């Protein structure tokens, strides 16, 4: 199932026990609750102020005593920190907080033997948001290896899906084009926020060979109603069985992948992107 943290109620995720936890998480202390309250309203902070607010929250979490709740809060902030472009310094502060919290509160591996999800969160920040970390932990190293393996699988993935008009689109048939594959849903606020920028870019670079394919696993009537109401012009594909979503290892949306004209995966995001950030991704495919 797609992780719903980035676009549904914050507390529903913060209430989930950490890996292998067998007891109900402890109640938040007043200081922890103060952070929870700020996380709940972080999306309402204007983008021009959100970077500084996120940095302040990272420092607040870092100053808390080492408890399981501290790690839950650090992970929660990590997921919210990538919903746009709030500056590398902000993301570095978030990564430092998550790394220091994992150092003080190391987790056992996941039940499948893979790294616990917070190590993957940190690895994604480093790999896709270009921050750094000094964390020296086997699970972090395993997480980085896992991301590399997933990228290899994604680059080899192919699909044929129908758009809202019933037209089939096959990824491999688009060689010679720059292709941006985007995963989204109508109920996802960050997804909705980035769609006007995607639409503008699709129009701007159409003559240069850009194709944007947005994929949803929702019912066609719901998707069609939203697209019509918001005048989105690029192709919207339906993935009712979620096979393509799973083949791209999508565990949170929105998420985007850029393939160059030779079909090589050259860039990907882990969350919502601004127009400027999308332009940086497209530049990796020599589209400017």
């Amino acid at each position: 199932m797609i992780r719903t943290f980035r676009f549904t109620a914050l507390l529903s995720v913060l209430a989930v026990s950490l890996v292998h936890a067998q007891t109900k998480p402890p109640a938040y202390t007043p200081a922890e609750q103060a952070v929870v309250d700020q996380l709940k309203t972080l999306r309402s902070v204007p983008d021009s102020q959100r970077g500084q607010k996120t940095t302040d929250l990272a420092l607040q979490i870092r100053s808390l005593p080492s408890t399981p709740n501290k790690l839950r809060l650090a992970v929660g902030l990590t997921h919210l920190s990538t919903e746009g472009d709030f500056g590398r310094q902000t993301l570095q502060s978030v990564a430092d907080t998550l790394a220091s919290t994992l150092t003080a509160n190391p987790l056992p591996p996941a039940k499948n033997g893979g790294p616990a999800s917070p190590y993957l969160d940190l690895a994604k920040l480093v790999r896709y948001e270009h921050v750094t970390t000094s964390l020296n932990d086997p699970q972090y190293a395993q997480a980085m290896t896992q991301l590399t393996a997933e990228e290899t699988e994604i680059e080899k993935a192919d699909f044929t899906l129908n758009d809202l008009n019933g037209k089939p689109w096959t990824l491999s048939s688009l060689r010679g084009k720059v292709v941006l594959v985007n995963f989204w849903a109508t109920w996802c606020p960050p997804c909705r926020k980035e769609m006007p920028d995607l639409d503008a870019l699709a129009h701007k670079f159409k003559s240069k060979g850009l194709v944007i394919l947005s994929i949803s696993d929702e019912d066609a009537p719901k998707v069609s109603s939203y697209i019509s109401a918001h005048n989105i012009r690029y192709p919207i594909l339906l993935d009712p069985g979620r096979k393509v979503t799973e083949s791209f290892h999508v565990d949170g949306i929105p998420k985007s992948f850029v393939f160059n004209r030779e079909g090589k995966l050259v860039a990907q995001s882990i969350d919502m992107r601004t127009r400027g950030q999308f332009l940086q991704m497209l530049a990796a495919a020599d589209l400017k």
Side-chain angles (χ1 to χ4, degrees):
M1 177 178 290
I2 290 178
R3 182 173 55 194
T4 59
F5 181 90
R6 295 190 176 100
F7 31 78
T8 56
L10 174 65
L11 288 181
S12 67
V13 169
L14 293 181
V16 175
S17 302
L18 291 173
V19 178
H20 295 332
Q22 300 298 319
T23 59
K24 183 178 180 180
Y28 290 114
T29 66
E32 293 167 345
Q33 186 62 52
V35 173
V36 171
D37 293 341
Q38 294 175 79
L39 288 173
K40 289 170 62 179
T41 60
L42 188 57
R43 279 193 181 139
S44 66
V45 176
D47 286 353
S48 61
Q49 302 172 26
R50 187 162 163 178
Q52 185 59 55
K53 181 64 176 179
T54 300
T55 300
D56 292 344
L57 279 166
L59 296 176
Q60 288 181 48
I61 294 170
R62 208 178 307 172
S63 69
L64 293 171
S66 294
T67 66
N69 281 341
K70 180 176 180 177
L71 183 53
R72 292 161 64 197
L73 296 175
V75 169
L77 181 62
T78 298
H79 291 177
L80 288 169
S81 70
T82 53
E83 294 180 351
D85 187 4
F86 307 117
R88 186 181 182 281
Q89 183 176 353
T90 293
L91 289 174
Q92 186 62 62
S93 182
V94 170
D96 290 344
T97 294
L98 180 56
S100 64
T101 306
L102 282 169
T103 298
N105 297 273
L107 295 173
K111 291 182 179 179
N112 64 4
S117 60
Y119 296 97
L120 278 167
D121 291 331
L122 181 60
K124 289 175 182 178
L125 281 178
V126 172
R127 192 165 185 84
Y128 305 124
E129 298 288 359
H130 312 298
V131 297
T132 61
T133 186
S134 59
L135 182 66
N136 183 16
D137 187 288
Q139 287 197 71
Y140 171 72
Q142 185 181 12
M144 292 295 284
T145 299
Q146 178 176 320
L147 294 182
T148 301
E150 289 177 358
E151 289 168 11
T152 299
E153 293 178 10
I154 293 167
E155 187 166 289
K156 294 178 180 178
D158 194 13
F159 61 78
T160 298
L161 293 174
N162 291 338
D163 65 20
L164 292 172
N165 297 315
K167 176 183 176 180
W169 292 81
T170 300
L171 180 60
S172 60
S173 72
L174 296 171
R175 296 291 188 270
K177 305 283 189 179
V178 173
V179 183
L180 190 157
V181 179
N182 169 260
F183 292 85
W184 74 291
T186 61
W187 45 263
C188 163
C191 302
R192 299 195 299 263
K193 188 174 181 179
E194 72 180 6
M195 293 185 84
D197 286 331
L198 283 172
D199 193 68
L201 291 170
H203 179 72
K204 178 179 180 179
F205 290 109
K206 182 178 180 179
S207 63
K208 294 186 177 181
L210 174 64
V211 176
I212 295 178
L213 303 175
S214 275
I215 299 174
S216 174
D217 63 2
E218 296 176 281
D219 294 336
K222 181 181 295 184
V223 175
S224 182
S225 176
Y226 182 87
I227 294 304
S228 297
H230 293 83
N231 194 31
I232 301 300
R233 297 166 292 178
Y234 55 85
I236 305 296
L237 313 186
L238 301 176
D239 183 26
R242 302 194 69 253
K243 291 183 178 179
V244 176
T245 302
E246 292 173 0
S247 71
F248 274 67
H249 297 278
V250 175
D251 62 356
I253 54 176
K255 191 165 187 177
S256 297
F257 304 83
V258 172
F259 296 85
N260 68 12
R261 299 180 195 274
E262 290 73 45
K264 180 180 179 181
L265 178 65
V266 294
Q268 73 179 75
S269 72
I270 58 174
D271 211 324
M272 192 208 102
R273 300 292 79 175
T274 64
R275 187 177 305 194
Q277 288 173 310
F278 277 127
L279 286 171
Q280 291 175 2
M281 293 176 68
L282 294 174
D286 293 323
L287 189 65
K288 302 177 182 178

